[in-house]
Amino acid sequence: MKQILIIGAGFAGLWSALSAIRQLDLNGSKGVEVTLLAPQAELHVRPRFYEPDVHTMAAPLQALFDAVNVRFVQGTAYHIDEAARRVGYRTRSGTRCTLPYDRLIMACGSELERPDMVGIEHAFDVDKLDSAARLEAHLKSLASLPNTPARNTVVVAGGGFTGIETATELPARLRAILGEDAALRIVVIDRGARIGAALGDGIRPAIEQACEALGVEWVCGATVVSVDPAGVQLDNGQRIDASTVVWTVGFKANPLTEQISGERDNRGRLHVDGNLKVKGNDAVYAAGDVAYATCDELGNHAVMSCQHAIALGRHAGNNAAAELLGVAPTAYSQPKYVTCLDLGAWGAVYTEGWDREVSPPEDKAEAKALKRQINSVWIYPPAADRASALAAADPLIPVA
């Protein structure tokens, strides 16, 4: 029995598994087994971790795996032996085991890169389910503290997508905890020269309007140089007293990518060919946040987002199975790039294209409704029904 082994149960891993099974079904193959290795049989809906009630943002997957005959192995990968084609993993109890593979799909995701900075341990983040839950518990605990400016102040380090969505959601979250009359101060610290500089001119007006309406401040052209329990120090000499600091700067591919033969970009992502096979590697594919993949004829590359991870997974699983079966692969292509940026109680903004030009729905309320649809329906796993789940795994389905 040949083995396709997938590391990771995120968006890329889930859709790699479904797409591989779909390809096997299409060719009536019973001689290939698809195994997925991950710490839990659940999809952590990471794009929503800036929202409250984070404990509800894990979608169970075991019933879906059972419906489509994906073998789930609970464990954490720690070693990849390319010569022997085996992956070493630790079970929950710490026991060391191995799994063989004929084709390996790296779908192990990314992680927040915390800098070597004085006091960084005092900063919260929304990178993982447990860390987002820690932030939520901390925010709720603020109600028991004396009503001071520091208690009512949150510093968000980083003005990218995660930082903006976190910052603009915080006023509503904090008022629910501290009361409608709380004198809140939310401050985004960003090295860019202007608000939302990393996202471009097209989307900036909406970010500026939302932040003004919500009372979210920006300190531009600055970086945090140290954190302590009472606040942050900036490189411009400014001190901000705050009981809460949220770090959202810098993501890198899972360090497991360092064990794979192949070229990597500056975020550790593996360079892949048009079929998502790691360049120069005989047996390894990459999908999601660990893949440096060209997604159109203009040379744009997939970004670390569920929008790209889903499509990358559909192609990687399909093509790994196709190679073992000796049938034609489906080259990865994802020329349409869209964003829907949540801007808290103000609304949201929808853009199309790599320049992020605002597109219909241009109304902030309509864009907010679309964002809710994306976050609560579109990015969740399919139902545990074999036919519909595999139909949804077709790599030729456009993702927007």
mmCIF file of all heavy atoms in Angstrom, residues 178-207:
data_model
loop_
_atom_site.group_PDB
_atom_site.id
_atom_site.type_symbol
_atom_site.label_atom_id
_atom_site.label_comp_id
_atom_site.label_asym_id
_atom_site.label_seq_id
_atom_site.Cartn_x
_atom_site.Cartn_y
_atom_site.Cartn_z
ATOM 1 N N LEU A 178 -15.484 46.426 30.052
ATOM 2 C CA LEU A 178 -15.229 47.541 30.965
ATOM 3 C C LEU A 178 -16.375 48.541 31.051
ATOM 4 O O LEU A 178 -16.348 49.436 31.901
ATOM 5 C CB LEU A 178 -13.952 48.268 30.531
ATOM 6 C CG LEU A 178 -12.679 47.419 30.486
ATOM 7 C CD1 LEU A 178 -11.503 48.243 29.973
ATOM 8 C CD2 LEU A 178 -12.368 46.828 31.854
ATOM 9 N N GLY A 179 -17.356 48.406 30.172
ATOM 10 C CA GLY A 179 -18.482 49.332 30.188
ATOM 11 C C GLY A 179 -18.423 50.332 29.054
ATOM 12 O O GLY A 179 -17.349 50.656 28.539
ATOM 13 N N GLU A 180 -19.575 50.807 28.658
ATOM 14 C CA GLU A 180 -19.676 51.716 27.528
ATOM 15 C C GLU A 180 -18.969 53.048 27.761
ATOM 16 O O GLU A 180 -18.575 53.734 26.813
ATOM 17 C CB GLU A 180 -21.149 51.982 27.192
ATOM 18 C CG GLU A 180 -21.866 50.797 26.578
ATOM 19 C CD GLU A 180 -21.299 50.405 25.220
ATOM 20 O OE1 GLU A 180 -20.902 51.310 24.459
ATOM 21 O OE2 GLU A 180 -21.240 49.195 24.928
ATOM 22 N N ASP A 181 -18.812 53.434 29.022
ATOM 23 C CA ASP A 181 -18.224 54.745 29.326
ATOM 24 C C ASP A 181 -16.726 54.673 29.575
ATOM 25 O O ASP A 181 -16.116 55.690 29.928
ATOM 26 C CB ASP A 181 -18.920 55.355 30.553
ATOM 27 C CG ASP A 181 -20.400 55.621 30.300
ATOM 28 O OD1 ASP A 181 -20.737 55.935 29.143
ATOM 29 O OD2 ASP A 181 -21.196 55.508 31.246
ATOM 30 N N ALA A 182 -16.132 53.510 29.414
ATOM 31 C CA ALA A 182 -14.694 53.376 29.670
ATOM 32 C C ALA A 182 -13.904 54.281 28.717
ATOM 33 O O ALA A 182 -14.216 54.375 27.529
ATOM 34 C CB ALA A 182 -14.266 51.928 29.500
ATOM 35 N N ALA A 183 -12.887 54.936 29.258
ATOM 36 C CA ALA A 183 -12.043 55.848 28.464
ATOM 37 C C ALA A 183 -10.953 55.025 27.785
ATOM 38 O O ALA A 183 -9.806 54.972 28.238
ATOM 39 C CB ALA A 183 -11.451 56.926 29.351
ATOM 40 N N LEU A 184 -11.313 54.394 26.679
ATOM 41 C CA LEU A 184 -10.407 53.458 26.019
ATOM 42 C C LEU A 184 -9.366 54.185 25.182
ATOM 43 O O LEU A 184 -9.621 55.260 24.626
ATOM 44 C CB LEU A 184 -11.197 52.505 25.124
ATOM 45 C CG LEU A 184 -12.306 51.696 25.789
ATOM 46 C CD1 LEU A 184 -13.010 50.838 24.738
ATOM 47 C CD2 LEU A 184 -11.746 50.824 26.909
ATOM 48 N N ARG A 185 -8.204 53.540 25.049
ATOM 49 C CA ARG A 185 -7.180 54.016 24.129
ATOM 50 C C ARG A 185 -6.551 52.802 23.444
ATOM 51 O O ARG A 185 -5.945 51.955 24.106
ATOM 52 C CB ARG A 185 -6.110 54.817 24.870
ATOM 53 C CG ARG A 185 -5.101 55.468 23.914
ATOM 54 C CD ARG A 185 -3.981 56.175 24.649
ATOM 55 N NE ARG A 185 -3.096 56.834 23.682
ATOM 56 C CZ ARG A 185 -1.841 57.176 23.933
ATOM 57 N NH1 ARG A 185 -1.295 56.924 25.129
ATOM 58 N NH2 ARG A 185 -1.109 57.769 23.003
ATOM 59 N N ILE A 186 -6.735 52.712 22.124
ATOM 60 C CA ILE A 186 -6.132 51.647 21.333
ATOM 61 C C ILE A 186 -5.092 52.306 20.434
ATOM 62 O O ILE A 186 -5.417 53.212 19.661
ATOM 63 C CB ILE A 186 -7.175 50.914 20.461
ATOM 64 C CG1 ILE A 186 -8.446 50.590 21.255
ATOM 65 C CG2 ILE A 186 -6.558 49.659 19.830
ATOM 66 C CD1 ILE A 186 -8.228 49.686 22.427
ATOM 67 N N VAL A 187 -3.830 51.843 20.513
ATOM 68 C CA VAL A 187 -2.742 52.467 19.769
ATOM 69 C C VAL A 187 -2.042 51.417 18.909
ATOM 70 O O VAL A 187 -1.556 50.407 19.426
ATOM 71 C CB VAL A 187 -1.713 53.128 20.700
ATOM 72 C CG1 VAL A 187 -0.681 53.906 19.878
ATOM 73 C CG2 VAL A 187 -2.385 54.029 21.718
ATOM 74 N N VAL A 188 -1.989 51.660 17.596
ATOM 75 C CA VAL A 188 -1.260 50.785 16.679
ATOM 76 C C VAL A 188 0.121 51.398 16.441
ATOM 77 O O VAL A 188 0.235 52.573 16.079
ATOM 78 C CB VAL A 188 -1.999 50.642 15.335
ATOM 79 C CG1 VAL A 188 -1.191 49.763 14.380
ATOM 80 C CG2 VAL A 188 -3.389 50.059 15.551
ATOM 81 N N ILE A 189 1.161 50.608 16.639
ATOM 82 C CA ILE A 189 2.532 51.034 16.366
ATOM 83 C C ILE A 189 2.980 50.356 15.086
ATOM 84 O O ILE A 189 2.960 49.128 14.984
ATOM 85 C CB ILE A 189 3.491 50.648 17.514
ATOM 86 C CG1 ILE A 189 2.905 51.032 18.874
ATOM 87 C CG2 ILE A 189 4.859 51.275 17.287
ATOM 88 C CD1 ILE A 189 2.668 52.501 19.059
ATOM 89 N N ASP A 190 3.390 51.160 14.089
ATOM 90 C CA ASP A 190 3.786 50.577 12.810
ATOM 91 C C ASP A 190 4.970 51.336 12.234
ATOM 92 O O ASP A 190 5.033 52.566 12.311
ATOM 93 C CB ASP A 190 2.619 50.606 11.829
ATOM 94 C CG ASP A 190 2.897 49.783 10.583
ATOM 95 O OD1 ASP A 190 3.062 48.555 10.715
ATOM 96 O OD2 ASP A 190 2.954 50.367 9.494
ATOM 97 N N ARG A 191 5.894 50.588 11.643
ATOM 98 C CA ARG A 191 7.086 51.210 11.077
ATOM 99 C C ARG A 191 6.813 51.954 9.783
ATOM 100 O O ARG A 191 7.636 52.742 9.322
ATOM 101 C CB ARG A 191 8.166 50.155 10.854
ATOM 102 C CG ARG A 191 7.852 49.153 9.771
ATOM 103 C CD ARG A 191 8.938 48.102 9.648
ATOM 104 N NE ARG A 191 9.069 47.315 10.858
ATOM 105 C CZ ARG A 191 9.980 46.364 11.036
ATOM 106 N NH1 ARG A 191 10.860 46.109 10.092
ATOM 107 N NH2 ARG A 191 10.015 45.684 12.169
ATOM 108 N N GLY A 192 5.669 51.695 9.155
ATOM 109 C CA GLY A 192 5.319 52.395 7.920
ATOM 110 C C GLY A 192 5.152 53.882 8.140
ATOM 111 O O GLY A 192 4.803 54.341 9.236
ATOM 112 N N ALA A 193 5.355 54.639 7.082
ATOM 113 C CA ALA A 193 5.282 56.098 7.192
ATOM 114 C C ALA A 193 3.850 56.607 7.312
ATOM 115 O O ALA A 193 3.616 57.717 7.803
ATOM 116 C CB ALA A 193 5.956 56.739 5.983
ATOM 117 N N ARG A 194 2.868 55.791 6.849
ATOM 118 C CA ARG A 194 1.473 56.208 6.888
ATOM 119 C C ARG A 194 0.604 55.076 7.401
ATOM 120 O O ARG A 194 1.014 53.904 7.393
ATOM 121 C CB ARG A 194 1.000 56.617 5.482
ATOM 122 C CG ARG A 194 1.783 57.768 4.869
ATOM 123 C CD ARG A 194 1.327 58.057 3.459
ATOM 124 N NE ARG A 194 -0.066 58.494 3.417
ATOM 125 C CZ ARG A 194 -0.743 58.737 2.297
ATOM 126 N NH1 ARG A 194 -0.150 58.538 1.119
ATOM 127 N NH2 ARG A 194 -1.993 59.143 2.334
ATOM 128 N N ILE A 195 -0.606 55.421 7.812
ATOM 129 C CA ILE A 195 -1.555 54.410 8.271
ATOM 130 C C ILE A 195 -1.772 53.373 7.166
ATOM 131 O O ILE A 195 -2.014 53.721 6.007
ATOM 132 C CB ILE A 195 -2.893 55.070 8.643
ATOM 133 C CG1 ILE A 195 -2.737 55.896 9.936
ATOM 134 C CG2 ILE A 195 -4.000 54.020 8.808
ATOM 135 C CD1 ILE A 195 -3.979 56.685 10.294
ATOM 136 N N GLY A 196 -1.681 52.121 7.539
ATOM 137 C CA GLY A 196 -1.928 51.037 6.588
ATOM 138 C C GLY A 196 -0.949 50.987 5.445
ATOM 139 O O GLY A 196 -1.278 50.475 4.366
ATOM 140 N N ALA A 197 0.277 51.470 5.662
ATOM 141 C CA ALA A 197 1.246 51.563 4.561
ATOM 142 C C ALA A 197 1.516 50.215 3.910
ATOM 143 O O ALA A 197 1.713 50.141 2.687
ATOM 144 C CB ALA A 197 2.549 52.160 5.081
ATOM 145 N N ALA A 198 1.508 49.144 4.682
ATOM 146 C CA ALA A 198 1.830 47.822 4.144
ATOM 147 C C ALA A 198 0.748 47.307 3.194
ATOM 148 O O ALA A 198 1.006 46.406 2.397
ATOM 149 C CB ALA A 198 2.028 46.829 5.282
ATOM 150 N N LEU A 199 -0.442 47.888 3.259
ATOM 151 C CA LEU A 199 -1.558 47.385 2.451
ATOM 152 C C LEU A 199 -1.826 48.214 1.207
ATOM 153 O O LEU A 199 -2.649 47.824 0.379
ATOM 154 C CB LEU A 199 -2.828 47.304 3.314
ATOM 155 C CG LEU A 199 -2.697 46.492 4.599
ATOM 156 C CD1 LEU A 199 -4.061 46.347 5.254
ATOM 157 C CD2 LEU A 199 -2.085 45.126 4.340
ATOM 158 N N GLY A 200 -1.185 49.358 1.060
ATOM 159 C CA GLY A 200 -1.300 50.121 -0.165
ATOM 160 C C GLY A 200 -2.316 51.247 -0.115
ATOM 161 O O GLY A 200 -3.138 51.360 0.800
ATOM 162 N N ASP A 201 -2.257 52.084 -1.154
ATOM 163 C CA ASP A 201 -3.077 53.292 -1.202
ATOM 164 C C ASP A 201 -4.562 53.007 -1.416
ATOM 165 O O ASP A 201 -5.411 53.772 -0.946
ATOM 166 C CB ASP A 201 -2.580 54.211 -2.321
ATOM 167 C CG ASP A 201 -1.187 54.772 -2.043
ATOM 168 O OD1 ASP A 201 -0.806 54.822 -0.859
ATOM 169 O OD2 ASP A 201 -0.499 55.132 -3.015
ATOM 170 N N GLY A 202 -4.885 51.925 -2.136
ATOM 171 C CA GLY A 202 -6.285 51.672 -2.464
ATOM 172 C C GLY A 202 -7.155 51.463 -1.244
ATOM 173 O O GLY A 202 -8.288 51.960 -1.173
ATOM 174 N N ILE A 203 -6.646 50.754 -0.274
ATOM 175 C CA ILE A 203 -7.431 50.374 0.898
ATOM 176 C C ILE A 203 -7.270 51.360 2.057
ATOM 177 O O ILE A 203 -8.046 51.351 3.004
ATOM 178 C CB ILE A 203 -7.024 48.945 1.334
ATOM 179 C CG1 ILE A 203 -8.106 48.286 2.185
ATOM 180 C CG2 ILE A 203 -5.680 48.947 2.043
ATOM 181 C CD1 ILE A 203 -7.833 46.816 2.460
ATOM 182 N N ARG A 204 -6.271 52.252 1.954
ATOM 183 C CA ARG A 204 -5.946 53.143 3.077
ATOM 184 C C ARG A 204 -7.099 54.043 3.524
ATOM 185 O O ARG A 204 -7.342 54.174 4.735
ATOM 186 C CB ARG A 204 -4.721 53.992 2.764
ATOM 187 C CG ARG A 204 -4.362 54.962 3.908
ATOM 188 C CD ARG A 204 -3.175 55.826 3.599
ATOM 189 N NE ARG A 204 -1.983 55.025 3.436
ATOM 190 C CZ ARG A 204 -1.322 54.907 2.305
ATOM 191 N NH1 ARG A 204 -1.748 55.546 1.223
ATOM 192 N NH2 ARG A 204 -0.239 54.163 2.231
ATOM 193 N N PRO A 205 -7.843 54.700 2.607
ATOM 194 C CA PRO A 205 -8.908 55.591 3.075
ATOM 195 C C PRO A 205 -9.915 54.909 3.996
ATOM 196 O O PRO A 205 -10.356 55.501 4.990
ATOM 197 C CB PRO A 205 -9.560 56.070 1.773
ATOM 198 C CG PRO A 205 -8.465 56.004 0.768
ATOM 199 C CD PRO A 205 -7.677 54.769 1.141
ATOM 200 N N ALA A 206 -10.274 53.683 3.688
ATOM 201 C CA ALA A 206 -11.229 52.961 4.534
ATOM 202 C C ALA A 206 -10.633 52.705 5.913
ATOM 203 O O ALA A 206 -11.325 52.835 6.939
ATOM 204 C CB ALA A 206 -11.638 51.647 3.882
ATOM 205 N N ILE A 207 -9.353 52.337 5.960
ATOM 206 C CA ILE A 207 -8.694 52.096 7.256
ATOM 207 C C ILE A 207 -8.651 53.382 8.064
ATOM 208 O O ILE A 207 -8.944 53.390 9.273
ATOM 209 C CB ILE A 207 -7.276 51.539 7.037
ATOM 210 C CG1 ILE A 207 -7.330 50.200 6.302
ATOM 211 C CG2 ILE A 207 -6.548 51.381 8.369
ATOM 212 C CD1 ILE A 207 -5.970 49.693 5.843
#
